[in-house]
Amino acid sequence: MELRHLASFLAVVEEGQFARAAARLFLSPPAVTGHVRQLERELGVPLLERSPLRLTEAGERLVPHARAALAAANAAADAVAGLREDTPRGSELRVGIMVHGSAELTPAILRAFRRARPETNVTVVSLDFTDHVAALVEHRVDVAFLRPAPDDERIVSDPMTTEPRIITVSERCPLADAEALRLADVVDEPFLGLPDGVSRAFSDYLYFGTARNGEAPRLNPEGVRTPQDVLTGTAAGRGLSSGLYSFVRFYSWPGVRFVPLLDAPWEHSVLAARRDDTRLEVQAFRSLAVALARDLGPTLVPPPPLPRPWSGGNDSRPRAAGR
């Protein structure tokens, strides 16, 4: 859900015509129409009736939330804009993003920062699983959207989203038939392995280290580094993997199912930075991100449904493919 789509939707509602909304936003009418249609596709419901133009019930419910989201984004941008005079022109900020970052918050924060501080050159860097700590401590990025929070005294983390956990399973695996699972259903299954160099915090997150009481999981030596590695390995039946609930909204893959874990502890995605980095552009980015996470997080990252848990029981629990 993009802020510009919400802005187009509100403009149509307030102006009463697509043409007047387009003129107000300095866009073409087809662009505004496209924004509203994209928003309707993402939400899965019509927001406007076209002839005559009026709000649907879903549209009426969205209006106050859309106004709150846009107001929060503008307030966050205004909060850091005052630092602009102290930042030299041509300053740079390298933003690392691992997997899909902090869901829909990530692009919202980047857009708001660019609007508030256009004199800062922002570069986005894709990070793989081995970069969880290394990219920051090796000064390859200045801030990074990660999960979970790094367990390293050199790094400070600001929580962005707090989400339930899911398991990725092959559609040929008996576990794929479950509407939901519990940790006891999966901890003994083989998981996709990670390459050397991955931080302990990330491997504990991926393999539910706390639930295992220190016992190592059974691993297939895949050496997965990226979400694509996870999805291809899962589809091939080589093992399970895990993620945050928002992973479902950003990735799909033939032969892969995502199953909620009902009793797994919820986990944060975070914005991380070096503790000793006091540059104004880093402080401004963190301040804006924290403000948007507080105000937009509940709107942009909806909670999952609560499906019935799988009832196979431990004794008859199905085994993952390839065992």
Side-chain angles (χ1 to χ4, degrees):
M1 188 183 302
E2 297 192 22
L3 293 176
R4 61 188 178 130
H5 296 165
L6 293 175
S8 289
F9 166 69
L10 280 180
V12 172
V13 172
E14 293 167 359
E15 297 294 337
Q17 288 184 1
F18 280 86
R20 286 204 298 261
R24 172 173 136 183
L25 298 172
F26 301 100
L27 296 172
S28 68
V32 172
T33 300
H35 289 173
V36 175
R37 286 177 176 168
Q38 178 62 31
L39 190 57
E40 290 176 323
R41 282 196 295 269
E42 290 183 13
L43 296 175
V45 292
L47 301 172
L48 295 168
E49 294 181 2
R50 268 60 173 183
S51 297
L53 185 65
R54 61 184 180 182
L55 285 165
T56 65
E57 181 180 355
E60 291 178 352
R61 293 186 180 186
L62 179 62
V63 165
H65 297 287
R67 286 181 175 144
L70 291 171
N74 290 332
D78 291 342
V80 301
L83 297 174
R84 185 180 304 167
E85 295 179 358
D86 299 323
T87 302
R89 291 198 172 275
S91 60
E92 295 188 0
L93 185 73
R94 298 163 299 172
V95 180
I97 303 177
M98 190 174 78
V99 195
H100 58 286
S102 295
E104 291 87 350
L105 274 174
T106 306
I109 291 167
L110 286 168
R111 283 192 298 270
F113 183 80
R114 283 172 168 143
R115 184 171 66 249
R117 303 178 65 82
E119 72 284 353
T120 300
N121 179 36
V122 177
T123 303
V124 174
V125 181
S126 295
L127 306 179
D128 66 32
F129 301 154
T130 65
D131 294 320
H132 181 245
V133 173
L136 281 166
V137 300
E138 294 173 4
H139 289 251
R140 289 187 274 121
V141 298
D142 304 307
V143 293
F145 291 96
L146 310 170
R147 78 286 309 283
D151 183 15
D152 191 305
E153 63 182 10
R154 296 168 292 181
I155 297 174
V156 60
S157 300
D158 301 306
M160 294 287 104
T161 65
T162 305
E163 303 180 46
R165 300 295 300 279
I166 55 98
I167 283 285
T168 66
V169 301
S170 167
E171 66 178 12
R172 296 173 295 169
C173 172
L175 294 175
D177 294 331
E179 291 187 7
L181 295 165
R182 298 186 182 275
L183 284 167
D185 300 322
V186 302
V187 291
D188 293 333
E189 302 295 335
F191 277 67
L192 298 173
L194 293 166
D196 294 337
V198 172
S199 71
R200 176 65 181 270
F202 185 79
S203 62
D204 282 347
Y205 152 80
L206 198 70
Y207 301 137
F208 306 100
T210 301
R212 295 179 181 278
N213 296 319
E215 295 184 9
R218 292 200 305 120
L219 297 178
N220 187 307
E222 289 292 300
V224 293
R225 292 174 173 267
T226 67
Q228 288 72 28
D229 293 342
V230 168
L231 293 167
T232 55
T234 300
R238 297 192 179 106
L240 311 182
S241 191
S242 71
L244 298 182
Y245 187 80
S246 57
F247 191 92
V248 179
R249 300 198 299 276
F250 285 80
Y251 297 96
S252 62
W253 205 266
V256 175
R257 279 213 57 217
F258 305 109
V259 185
L261 279 174
L262 295 184
D263 60 342
W266 288 34
E267 187 59 79
H268 297 302
S269 72
V270 301
L271 177 69
R274 289 182 295 278
R275 188 178 296 276
D276 61 358
D277 193 341
T278 59
R279 289 174 299 150
L280 285 174
E281 53 265 36
V282 172
Q283 294 179 29
F285 193 90
R286 288 181 60 196
S287 296
L288 187 149
V290 168
L292 283 179
R294 180 188 64 241
D295 295 333
L296 296 186
T299 301
L300 296 179
V301 186
L306 295 176
R308 298 188 306 275
W310 180 71
S311 57
N314 287 337
D315 291 338
S316 59
R317 179 165 48 86
R319 299 300 183 183
R323 285 192 71 164

PDB file of all heavy atoms in Angstrom, residues 69-94:
ATOM      1  N   ALA A  69      -2.694   8.162   7.837  1.00  0.00           N
ATOM      2  CA  ALA A  69      -1.410   7.713   7.290  1.00  0.00           C
ATOM      3  C   ALA A  69      -0.678   8.854   6.598  1.00  0.00           C
ATOM      4  O   ALA A  69       0.529   9.055   6.790  1.00  0.00           O
ATOM      5  CB  ALA A  69      -1.634   6.561   6.310  1.00  0.00           C
ATOM      6  N   LEU A  70      -1.390   9.645   5.789  1.00  0.00           N
ATOM      7  CA  LEU A  70      -0.751  10.763   5.090  1.00  0.00           C
ATOM      8  C   LEU A  70      -0.320  11.839   6.075  1.00  0.00           C
ATOM      9  O   LEU A  70       0.757  12.440   5.927  1.00  0.00           O
ATOM     10  CB  LEU A  70      -1.711  11.334   4.051  1.00  0.00           C
ATOM     11  CG  LEU A  70      -1.990  10.419   2.854  1.00  0.00           C
ATOM     12  CD1 LEU A  70      -3.115  10.989   2.001  1.00  0.00           C
ATOM     13  CD2 LEU A  70      -0.735  10.235   2.012  1.00  0.00           C
ATOM     14  N   ALA A  71      -1.126  12.105   7.091  1.00  0.00           N
ATOM     15  CA  ALA A  71      -0.750  13.104   8.090  1.00  0.00           C
ATOM     16  C   ALA A  71       0.494  12.676   8.847  1.00  0.00           C
ATOM     17  O   ALA A  71       1.381  13.486   9.133  1.00  0.00           O
ATOM     18  CB  ALA A  71      -1.914  13.336   9.059  1.00  0.00           C
ATOM     19  N   ALA A  72       0.574  11.385   9.177  1.00  0.00           N
ATOM     20  CA  ALA A  72       1.747  10.884   9.896  1.00  0.00           C
ATOM     21  C   ALA A  72       3.004  11.003   9.048  1.00  0.00           C
ATOM     22  O   ALA A  72       4.070  11.380   9.538  1.00  0.00           O
ATOM     23  CB  ALA A  72       1.522   9.433  10.312  1.00  0.00           C
ATOM     24  N   ALA A  73       2.896  10.679   7.754  1.00  0.00           N
ATOM     25  CA  ALA A  73       4.054  10.782   6.872  1.00  0.00           C
ATOM     26  C   ALA A  73       4.522  12.228   6.750  1.00  0.00           C
ATOM     27  O   ALA A  73       5.725  12.519   6.793  1.00  0.00           O
ATOM     28  CB  ALA A  73       3.707  10.217   5.494  1.00  0.00           C
ATOM     29  N   ASN A  74       3.573  13.162   6.616  1.00  0.00           N
ATOM     30  CA  ASN A  74       3.950  14.569   6.510  1.00  0.00           C
ATOM     31  C   ASN A  74       4.562  15.086   7.803  1.00  0.00           C
ATOM     32  O   ASN A  74       5.535  15.850   7.785  1.00  0.00           O
ATOM     33  CB  ASN A  74       2.719  15.406   6.145  1.00  0.00           C
ATOM     34  CG  ASN A  74       2.244  15.151   4.731  1.00  0.00           C
ATOM     35  OD1 ASN A  74       3.031  14.801   3.860  1.00  0.00           O
ATOM     36  ND2 ASN A  74       0.952  15.314   4.491  1.00  0.00           N
ATOM     37  N   ALA A  75       4.011  14.657   8.943  1.00  0.00           N
ATOM     38  CA  ALA A  75       4.550  15.098  10.231  1.00  0.00           C
ATOM     39  C   ALA A  75       5.958  14.576  10.441  1.00  0.00           C
ATOM     40  O   ALA A  75       6.832  15.287  10.951  1.00  0.00           O
ATOM     41  CB  ALA A  75       3.630  14.634  11.368  1.00  0.00           C
ATOM     42  N   ALA A  76       6.201  13.321  10.038  1.00  0.00           N
ATOM     43  CA  ALA A  76       7.540  12.757  10.188  1.00  0.00           C
ATOM     44  C   ALA A  76       8.541  13.490   9.314  1.00  0.00           C
ATOM     45  O   ALA A  76       9.671  13.769   9.725  1.00  0.00           O
ATOM     46  CB  ALA A  76       7.510  11.271   9.838  1.00  0.00           C
ATOM     47  N   ALA A  77       8.141  13.833   8.085  1.00  0.00           N
ATOM     48  CA  ALA A  77       9.037  14.572   7.199  1.00  0.00           C
ATOM     49  C   ALA A  77       9.331  15.952   7.756  1.00  0.00           C
ATOM     50  O   ALA A  77      10.473  16.425   7.729  1.00  0.00           O
ATOM     51  CB  ALA A  77       8.412  14.675   5.810  1.00  0.00           C
ATOM     52  N   ASP A  78       8.310  16.619   8.293  1.00  0.00           N
ATOM     53  CA  ASP A  78       8.517  17.950   8.872  1.00  0.00           C
ATOM     54  C   ASP A  78       9.442  17.891  10.078  1.00  0.00           C
ATOM     55  O   ASP A  78      10.223  18.821  10.328  1.00  0.00           O
ATOM     56  CB  ASP A  78       7.171  18.557   9.286  1.00  0.00           C
ATOM     57  CG  ASP A  78       6.296  18.907   8.096  1.00  0.00           C
ATOM     58  OD1 ASP A  78       6.848  18.997   6.973  1.00  0.00           O
ATOM     59  OD2 ASP A  78       5.074  19.067   8.279  1.00  0.00           O
ATOM     60  N   ALA A  79       9.368  16.793  10.839  1.00  0.00           N
ATOM     61  CA  ALA A  79      10.166  16.686  12.059  1.00  0.00           C
ATOM     62  C   ALA A  79      11.659  16.669  11.790  1.00  0.00           C
ATOM     63  O   ALA A  79      12.452  17.127  12.617  1.00  0.00           O
ATOM     64  CB  ALA A  79       9.766  15.421  12.831  1.00  0.00           C
ATOM     65  N   VAL A  80      12.060  16.136  10.645  1.00  0.00           N
ATOM     66  CA  VAL A  80      13.501  16.064  10.343  1.00  0.00           C
ATOM     67  C   VAL A  80      13.938  17.118   9.355  1.00  0.00           C
ATOM     68  O   VAL A  80      15.127  17.314   9.149  1.00  0.00           O
ATOM     69  CB  VAL A  80      13.879  14.672   9.805  1.00  0.00           C
ATOM     70  CG1 VAL A  80      13.528  13.597  10.802  1.00  0.00           C
ATOM     71  CG2 VAL A  80      13.232  14.400   8.461  1.00  0.00           C
ATOM     72  N   ALA A  81      12.999  17.822   8.745  1.00  0.00           N
ATOM     73  CA  ALA A  81      13.367  18.816   7.740  1.00  0.00           C
ATOM     74  C   ALA A  81      14.176  19.947   8.344  1.00  0.00           C
ATOM     75  O   ALA A  81      14.994  20.578   7.671  1.00  0.00           O
ATOM     76  CB  ALA A  81      12.120  19.363   7.052  1.00  0.00           C
ATOM     77  N   GLY A  82      13.979  20.236   9.642  1.00  0.00           N
ATOM     78  CA  GLY A  82      14.729  21.315  10.273  1.00  0.00           C
ATOM     79  C   GLY A  82      16.208  21.075  10.352  1.00  0.00           C
ATOM     80  O   GLY A  82      16.993  22.015  10.545  1.00  0.00           O
ATOM     81  N   LEU A  83      16.637  19.825  10.220  1.00  0.00           N
ATOM     82  CA  LEU A  83      18.074  19.521  10.255  1.00  0.00           C
ATOM     83  C   LEU A  83      18.742  19.758   8.919  1.00  0.00           C
ATOM     84  O   LEU A  83      19.961  19.645   8.806  1.00  0.00           O
ATOM     85  CB  LEU A  83      18.284  18.059  10.669  1.00  0.00           C
ATOM     86  CG  LEU A  83      17.810  17.660  12.065  1.00  0.00           C
ATOM     87  CD1 LEU A  83      17.960  16.160  12.245  1.00  0.00           C
ATOM     88  CD2 LEU A  83      18.584  18.412  13.123  1.00  0.00           C
ATOM     89  N   ARG A  84      17.972  20.094   7.886  1.00  0.00           N
ATOM     90  CA  ARG A  84      18.511  20.176   6.538  1.00  0.00           C
ATOM     91  C   ARG A  84      19.621  21.208   6.428  1.00  0.00           C
ATOM     92  O   ARG A  84      20.619  21.001   5.740  1.00  0.00           O
ATOM     93  CB  ARG A  84      17.376  20.508   5.564  1.00  0.00           C
ATOM     94  CG  ARG A  84      17.768  20.500   4.115  1.00  0.00           C
ATOM     95  CD  ARG A  84      16.581  20.847   3.224  1.00  0.00           C
ATOM     96  NE  ARG A  84      15.476  19.939   3.468  1.00  0.00           N
ATOM     97  CZ  ARG A  84      14.242  20.150   3.034  1.00  0.00           C
ATOM     98  NH1 ARG A  84      13.943  21.249   2.377  1.00  0.00           N
ATOM     99  NH2 ARG A  84      13.306  19.259   3.293  1.00  0.00           N
ATOM    100  N   GLU A  85      19.479  22.343   7.118  1.00  0.00           N
ATOM    101  CA  GLU A  85      20.458  23.412   6.972  1.00  0.00           C
ATOM    102  C   GLU A  85      21.836  22.997   7.469  1.00  0.00           C
ATOM    103  O   GLU A  85      22.849  23.538   7.029  1.00  0.00           O
ATOM    104  CB  GLU A  85      19.973  24.640   7.734  1.00  0.00           C
ATOM    105  CG  GLU A  85      18.690  25.247   7.170  1.00  0.00           C
ATOM    106  CD  GLU A  85      18.230  26.433   7.976  1.00  0.00           C
ATOM    107  OE1 GLU A  85      18.916  26.738   8.990  1.00  0.00           O
ATOM    108  OE2 GLU A  85      17.222  27.053   7.607  1.00  0.00           O
ATOM    109  N   ASP A  86      21.877  22.037   8.402  1.00  0.00           N
ATOM    110  CA  ASP A  86      23.165  21.622   8.966  1.00  0.00           C
ATOM    111  C   ASP A  86      23.833  20.511   8.179  1.00  0.00           C
ATOM    112  O   ASP A  86      24.942  20.100   8.506  1.00  0.00           O
ATOM    113  CB  ASP A  86      22.969  21.150  10.413  1.00  0.00           C
ATOM    114  CG  ASP A  86      22.425  22.257  11.296  1.00  0.00           C
ATOM    115  OD1 ASP A  86      22.837  23.418  11.089  1.00  0.00           O
ATOM    116  OD2 ASP A  86      21.596  21.963  12.169  1.00  0.00           O
ATOM    117  N   THR A  87      23.161  19.982   7.163  1.00  0.00           N
ATOM    118  CA  THR A  87      23.707  18.876   6.395  1.00  0.00           C
ATOM    119  C   THR A  87      24.354  19.392   5.117  1.00  0.00           C
ATOM    120  O   THR A  87      23.706  20.105   4.358  1.00  0.00           O
ATOM    121  CB  THR A  87      22.595  17.872   6.032  1.00  0.00           C
ATOM    122  OG1 THR A  87      21.997  17.406   7.236  1.00  0.00           O
ATOM    123  CG2 THR A  87      23.170  16.687   5.271  1.00  0.00           C
ATOM    124  N   PRO A  88      25.627  19.089   4.891  1.00  0.00           N
ATOM    125  CA  PRO A  88      26.275  19.576   3.669  1.00  0.00           C
ATOM    126  C   PRO A  88      25.632  18.969   2.433  1.00  0.00           C
ATOM    127  O   PRO A  88      25.206  17.819   2.433  1.00  0.00           O
ATOM    128  CB  PRO A  88      27.721  19.099   3.834  1.00  0.00           C
ATOM    129  CG  PRO A  88      27.654  17.952   4.789  1.00  0.00           C
ATOM    130  CD  PRO A  88      26.523  18.268   5.715  1.00  0.00           C
ATOM    131  N   ARG A  89      25.551  19.758   1.370  1.00  0.00           N
ATOM    132  CA  ARG A  89      25.005  19.254   0.113  1.00  0.00           C
ATOM    133  C   ARG A  89      25.923  18.169  -0.423  1.00  0.00           C
ATOM    134  O   ARG A  89      27.144  18.233  -0.284  1.00  0.00           O
ATOM    135  CB  ARG A  89      24.861  20.387  -0.902  1.00  0.00           C
ATOM    136  CG  ARG A  89      23.779  21.370  -0.517  1.00  0.00           C
ATOM    137  CD  ARG A  89      23.344  22.211  -1.696  1.00  0.00           C
ATOM    138  NE  ARG A  89      22.170  23.001  -1.332  1.00  0.00           N
ATOM    139  CZ  ARG A  89      20.936  22.567  -1.398  1.00  0.00           C
ATOM    140  NH1 ARG A  89      20.700  21.350  -1.834  1.00  0.00           N
ATOM    141  NH2 ARG A  89      19.918  23.334  -1.043  1.00  0.00           N
ATOM    142  N   GLY A  90      25.311  17.161  -1.046  1.00  0.00           N
ATOM    143  CA  GLY A  90      26.097  16.054  -1.564  1.00  0.00           C
ATOM    144  C   GLY A  90      26.375  14.988  -0.528  1.00  0.00           C
ATOM    145  O   GLY A  90      27.125  14.049  -0.800  1.00  0.00           O
ATOM    146  N   SER A  91      25.783  15.097   0.693  1.00  0.00           N
ATOM    147  CA  SER A  91      25.959  14.050   1.695  1.00  0.00           C
ATOM    148  C   SER A  91      25.295  12.771   1.201  1.00  0.00           C
ATOM    149  O   SER A  91      24.366  12.803   0.395  1.00  0.00           O
ATOM    150  CB  SER A  91      25.362  14.478   3.039  1.00  0.00           C
ATOM    151  OG  SER A  91      23.980  14.737   2.901  1.00  0.00           O
ATOM    152  N   GLU A  92      25.754  11.635   1.693  1.00  0.00           N
ATOM    153  CA  GLU A  92      25.274  10.334   1.224  1.00  0.00           C
ATOM    154  C   GLU A  92      24.765   9.501   2.384  1.00  0.00           C
ATOM    155  O   GLU A  92      25.234   9.612   3.514  1.00  0.00           O
ATOM    156  CB  GLU A  92      26.392   9.577   0.501  1.00  0.00           C
ATOM    157  CG  GLU A  92      26.847  10.238  -0.788  1.00  0.00           C
ATOM    158  CD  GLU A  92      27.811   9.361  -1.576  1.00  0.00           C
ATOM    159  OE1 GLU A  92      28.113   8.253  -1.101  1.00  0.00           O
ATOM    160  OE2 GLU A  92      28.247   9.800  -2.641  1.00  0.00           O
ATOM    161  N   LEU A  93      23.794   8.669   2.070  1.00  0.00           N
ATOM    162  CA  LEU A  93      23.276   7.704   3.029  1.00  0.00           C
ATOM    163  C   LEU A  93      23.049   6.400   2.292  1.00  0.00           C
ATOM    164  O   LEU A  93      22.292   6.346   1.324  1.00  0.00           O
ATOM    165  CB  LEU A  93      21.970   8.190   3.645  1.00  0.00           C
ATOM    166  CG  LEU A  93      21.398   7.293   4.754  1.00  0.00           C
ATOM    167  CD1 LEU A  93      22.246   7.430   6.022  1.00  0.00           C
ATOM    168  CD2 LEU A  93      19.944   7.639   5.050  1.00  0.00           C
ATOM    169  N   ARG A  94      23.711   5.329   2.757  1.00  0.00           N
ATOM    170  CA  ARG A  94      23.558   4.010   2.144  1.00  0.00           C
ATOM    171  C   ARG A  94      22.621   3.179   3.013  1.00  0.00           C
ATOM    172  O   ARG A  94      22.926   2.904   4.170  1.00  0.00           O
ATOM    173  CB  ARG A  94      24.914   3.334   2.003  1.00  0.00           C
ATOM    174  CG  ARG A  94      25.891   4.094   1.099  1.00  0.00           C
ATOM    175  CD  ARG A  94      27.313   3.620   1.313  1.00  0.00           C
ATOM    176  NE  ARG A  94      27.722   3.849   2.703  1.00  0.00           N
ATOM    177  CZ  ARG A  94      28.856   3.390   3.230  1.00  0.00           C
ATOM    178  NH1 ARG A  94      29.676   2.664   2.497  1.00  0.00           N
ATOM    179  NH2 ARG A  94      29.156   3.657   4.495  1.00  0.00           N
TER     180      ARG A  94
END
